[in-house]
Amino acid sequence: MCGIFGYWDRRGNELPADDLRAMARSLVHRGPDDEGVHHAPARGVAVGNRRLSIIDIGGGHQPFVSDDGQIAVVQNGEIFNHVELAAELRQQGVRLDTHSDTEVILRLYEREGIACLKRLNGMFAIAIDDAREDALYLARDRIGVKPLYVADDGQRMLFASEIKAFWAIPSVKRSQSAIDLEAIHHYLSFNYVPVPWTAYQGVRHVLPGTWMRFGRGNSVQTRRWWRLADQRERDFAFDEWAEEFLALLDDATRIRLRADVPFGAFLSGGVDSSTIVGLMARHVDRPVRTFCIGFEDPRYDESAFALEAARRFGCDHTSEVAELNMLDRWPLVLHHLDQPHGDASFMPTLRVSELAAKHVKVVLTGDGGDELFAGYDKYAAFFGRPDALTLSDADFQRHYFDAISLFAPAAKTALYRPELRARLDGIDSFSVAAKPWFEEAAHFDRVNQALYLDMQLLLSGNNLVKPDRMGMAVSIEARTPFLDWRMMEFAFRSRGATKLSAQGDKKHWFKRAAVPLIGEDLAYRKKQMFTVPIGDWFKGELHDWLRRTLAQSPLIDQMFEPAVVATMLDRHRDGRGNFTRELRALAALAVWGQRSAF
């Protein structure tokens, strides 16, 4: 795990070394152990890295440079099948000087070019300066586990693992940090800014499963190198399905245990994390280190389930009772996110990351299981509607989008001040951000279409941002076995009925398959969301704070009608409506705006 950064100047102009050093400093939390830069000022290009040393502690210094000095590679992430790839390369006579996964990327690229990405099983954002082509490649992993941003003014392109690296350069901050109002418009639909947008006009998020090639002049190529939608559903018998599911997840877990530093797992006692920990225990010769935070409020406390799972698998378990009110951490969370996010679970995720960081540098998590196998209540709620399967294709897509939206289009229109309403008139979040993914997944059944939308938007826009940013805030790496590409493709070869039963049973076959490993109690326990009761606080102890925060925010005042905001506040406080998610999103926007100093 690391942070990468660099630039490509279309005219071959040099970016001052001081600016590169400033970008590196802004990413120290992502890579506190080492720093390296390959800079070719005469060509106007650099690739740099801040390293969190996980694999080959002594030999893994980045960038890795080819013997002739023509190719330089940096990456953020891990290539989990690097052992097998290295063995294959050595059999072919290729010299490898280290045990680093980044050297494997370099040697594969030398032989296969950018097509080598398909050989990689991992989570990664990669930058490759290829002087032979006089070009810079940027590549992002299949589903967007690792972030990668570009700030392009048409003459110079900067890239980095976090947006704050761009603002470390004062001239860039001044010229490219204007708020992207369309992105905020989409934020109010999704509760996060969906890729490829960011909250800033001058910055875009590289799409998952995509590479970009920057050449001279205005030469920019963008290619999708992997598509989950290429799968075709097929029929399985349950026993066949369960055998393949468990074998794939077991191997995905096994290769994610490759590390030269202490590792553990986040354990909530839910079906996802319990299954991962149960599989980890098969492959290690000492107790798995597991970490959990609990709360005194039983509505939000999962620690008893985590302890049950830890005892079942003989784990070395660490649990702490955390303060429930974490809102004082919100500014820090949003600092690490660089953008507004209305998801309150980032705060407890930071807290459990801090706990784990005292003991390990790597954790495995259960992220991705809900999106692959229909684990959220929203799926059961929508597909429990009598018309869910009889709607026309167009109506199904629109109705599902409306069901998961934060603010409906009419609610956003009413919220906006007249000038903002006019500027955003005709921009439909469904049409530009959701419909293209629905169209790509049109051959799937409707449950899988809904899951596909979340795989493409919710994961890269929010749910994978959470473990990456909150883990990196305290310099630990989060690994996600469910998002092994083999498991993702298997999941979308599986029909929706294997995931959500006609009776509304979520993770239908997954839970049946996991019972022999984790037991019925853990497999079928009621799902709890890992969050805090912010809606209750907004009615009582934090209502005045919320009203004051929104009233004093220049950003909120410039964009939204005060009377509409006040009505939501009043109705929520008085119990005449539940506006928890809407008010939480506005509060996140206000707190982010204060920190961003526009």
Side-chain angles (χ1 to χ4, degrees):
M1 185 73 72
C2 306
I4 63 173
F5 60 92
Y7 78 100
W8 172 266
D9 193 289
R10 290 173 171 82
R11 302 160 300 177
N13 292 336
E14 176 185 1
L15 182 72
D18 284 348
D19 288 346
L20 286 170
R21 284 190 286 269
M23 294 179 78
R25 285 194 300 272
S26 74
L27 298 173
V28 166
H29 55 286
R30 294 190 73 92
D33 299 329
D34 192 15
E35 179 180 323
V37 177
H38 178 81
H39 194 186
R43 293 176 46 239
V45 59
V47 295
N49 171 270
R50 284 291 322 188
R51 184 179 179 221
L52 178 66
S53 301
I54 301 294
I55 293 174
D56 195 353
I57 306 301
H61 173 78
Q62 299 184 42
F64 274 84
V65 181
S66 60
D67 297 341
D68 62 5
Q70 296 295 292
I71 304 170
V73 177
V74 294
Q75 73 145 330
N76 162 31
E78 304 287 356
I79 309 304
F80 300 118
N81 65 332
H82 73 279
V83 174
E84 291 79 10
L85 292 172
E88 180 183 330
L89 287 167
R90 288 190 174 99
Q91 288 176 354
Q92 296 169 358
V94 177
R95 190 191 83 249
L96 292 169
D97 297 323
T98 73
H99 298 290
S100 169
D101 56 337
T102 307
E103 185 182 13
V104 170
I105 298 172
L106 169 66
R107 300 309 178 191
L108 282 174
Y109 178 79
E110 288 179 314
R111 297 170 71 83
E112 303 176 17
I114 200 64
C116 74
L117 294 173
K118 292 186 177 181
R119 306 281 305 280
L120 307 179
N121 186 341
M123 53 181 193
F124 52 83
I126 298 171
I128 303 173
D129 173 29
D130 189 340
R132 303 169 310 177
E133 298 182 13
D134 197 17
L136 176 74
Y137 285 93
L138 300 178
R140 195 168 179 211
D141 67 57
R142 290 171 175 82
I143 208 64
V145 182
K146 296 293 101 189
L148 184 58
Y149 299 93
V150 296
D152 195 345
D153 65 5
Q155 297 178 344
R156 175 183 290 151
M157 184 277 298
L158 301 169
F159 70 88
S161 297
E162 296 185 12
I163 296 172
K164 62 177 62 63
F166 305 142
W167 309 153
I169 304 173
S171 61
V172 176
K173 171 69 172 176
R174 288 192 297 271
S175 64
Q176 292 181 257
S177 63
I179 294 177
D180 187 329
L181 295 175
E182 181 182 347
I184 302 302
H185 182 64
H186 300 322
Y187 165 73
L188 294 174
S189 290
F190 293 100
N191 205 34
Y192 55 87
V193 178
V195 295
W197 292 270
T198 78
Y200 303 97
Q201 290 181 20
V203 180
R204 284 295 177 263
H205 207 169
V206 177
L207 283 166
T210 298
W211 59 256
M212 302 181 72
R213 181 186 184 276
F214 295 86
R216 293 301 167 198
N218 293 320
S219 174
V220 180
Q221 293 177 270
T222 301
R223 296 286 186 274
R224 289 271 299 281
W225 63 270
W226 182 80
R227 285 193 352 144
L228 184 56
D230 290 341
Q231 305 309 304
R232 292 295 183 269
E233 296 161 337
R234 51 160 292 208
D235 292 323
F236 286 90
F238 171 74
D239 289 346
E240 175 195 8
W241 187 95
E243 181 179 2
E244 185 169 355
F245 167 77
L246 290 172
L248 285 172
L249 191 58
D250 181 72
D251 195 62
T253 301
R254 177 186 65 84
I255 63 175
R256 281 163 179 77
L257 299 176
R258 291 171 170 170
D260 297 328
V261 296
F263 59 82
F266 290 159
L267 179 59
S268 68
V271 63
D272 296 337
S273 64
S274 297
T275 301
I276 296 302
V277 169
L279 295 173
M280 290 174 71
R282 293 178 171 179
H283 296 288
V284 296
D285 57 6
R286 64 185 63 183
V288 177
R289 295 296 310 264
T290 53
F291 304 94
C292 171
I293 60 168
F295 302 109
E296 291 185 357
D297 188 331
R299 294 176 300 168
Y300 301 92
D301 182 34
E302 296 183 286
S303 60
F305 299 108
L307 181 60
E308 179 184 346
R311 286 174 173 165
R312 182 180 183 93
F313 300 115
C315 298
D316 181 358
H317 187 58
T318 301
S319 178
E320 288 185 358
V321 176
E323 65 284 5
L324 191 56
N325 188 340
M326 299 181 180
L327 285 195
D328 61 333
R329 315 295 299 281
W330 214 352
L332 177 62
V333 165
L334 289 166
H335 164 74
H336 283 287
L337 296 176
D338 291 322
Q339 301 191 85
H341 282 259
D343 186 344
S345 66
F346 280 86
M347 288 176 272
T349 302
L350 176 60
R351 181 66 176 79
V352 73
S353 298
E354 291 170 336
L355 174 62
K358 299 174 183 177
H359 306 276
V360 299
K361 293 183 74 171
V362 175
V363 291
L364 273 63
T365 80
D367 290 290
D370 287 319
E371 294 81 5
L372 286 172
F373 298 105
Y376 296 127
D377 288 341
K378 66 181 181 180
Y379 303 129
F382 182 82
F383 287 100
R385 293 169 37 168
D387 63 345
L389 300 178
T390 59
L391 293 165
S392 69
D393 290 343
D395 284 345
F396 160 71
Q397 294 172 10
R398 187 77 217 199
H399 282 226
Y400 180 76
F401 174 80
D402 289 344
I404 65 171
S405 292
L406 179 63
F407 284 90
K412 287 196 288 186
T413 299
L415 179 64
Y416 294 154
R417 285 187 179 272
E419 55 272 25
L420 181 60
R421 193 178 306 140
R423 290 185 63 174
L424 295 173
D425 183 48
I427 300 176
D428 178 25
S429 294
F430 167 77
S431 297
V432 299
K435 189 173 178 59
W437 298 117
F438 272 125
E439 291 175 345
E440 192 168 281
H443 59 287
F444 291 137
D445 64 43
R446 289 191 172 175
V447 170
N448 276 331
Q449 287 181 46
L451 298 178
Y452 191 81
L453 184 70
D454 280 346
M455 290 293 292
Q456 302 299 334
L457 290 178
L458 180 61
L459 277 179
S460 61
N462 191 81
N463 288 5
L464 291 176
V465 179
K466 189 189 314 177
D468 175 79
R469 296 305 184 82
M470 298 301 95
M472 285 285 87
V474 292
S475 303
I476 64 169
E477 173 177 294
R479 298 178 173 181
T480 53
F482 280 104
L483 297 177
D484 186 294
W485 69 269
R486 297 168 298 173
M487 177 57 73
M488 290 190 289
E489 291 188 352
F490 167 75
F492 279 85
R493 292 194 301 271
S494 305
R495 299 195 186 279
T498 70
K499 306 171 184 184
L500 184 68
S501 74
Q503 293 73 39
D505 181 32
K506 305 180 296 295
K507 294 181 181 168
H508 182 39
W509 280 11
F510 173 178
K511 290 185 291 189
R512 284 180 63 190
V515 165
L517 177 66
I518 68 174
E520 289 197 4
D521 288 348
L522 290 173
Y524 288 98
R525 58 160 285 213
K526 182 176 173 57
K527 183 178 180 62
Q528 286 180 249
M529 298 303 291
F530 187 53
T531 189
V532 292
I534 199 168
D536 292 345
W537 300 339
F538 283 171
K539 291 181 182 180
E541 61 191 275
L542 291 177
H543 182 82
D544 290 342
W545 171 88
L546 175 63
R547 191 177 289 271
R548 184 171 61 252
T549 297
L550 296 179
Q552 294 177 354
S553 166
L555 188 58
I556 298 298
D557 181 64
Q558 291 164 17
M559 297 181 68
F560 306 132
E561 289 282 6
V564 176
V565 175
T567 297
M568 280 194 290
L569 285 163
D570 291 343
R571 293 186 64 196
H572 186 81
R573 179 195 58 199
D574 299 341
R576 291 178 288 130
N578 183 357
F579 292 94
T580 297
R581 296 178 70 239
E582 294 88 343
L583 291 171
R584 190 176 63 196
L586 295 183
L589 189 61
V591 175
W592 169 76
Q594 293 167 1
R595 291 197 59 83
S596 298
F598 298 103

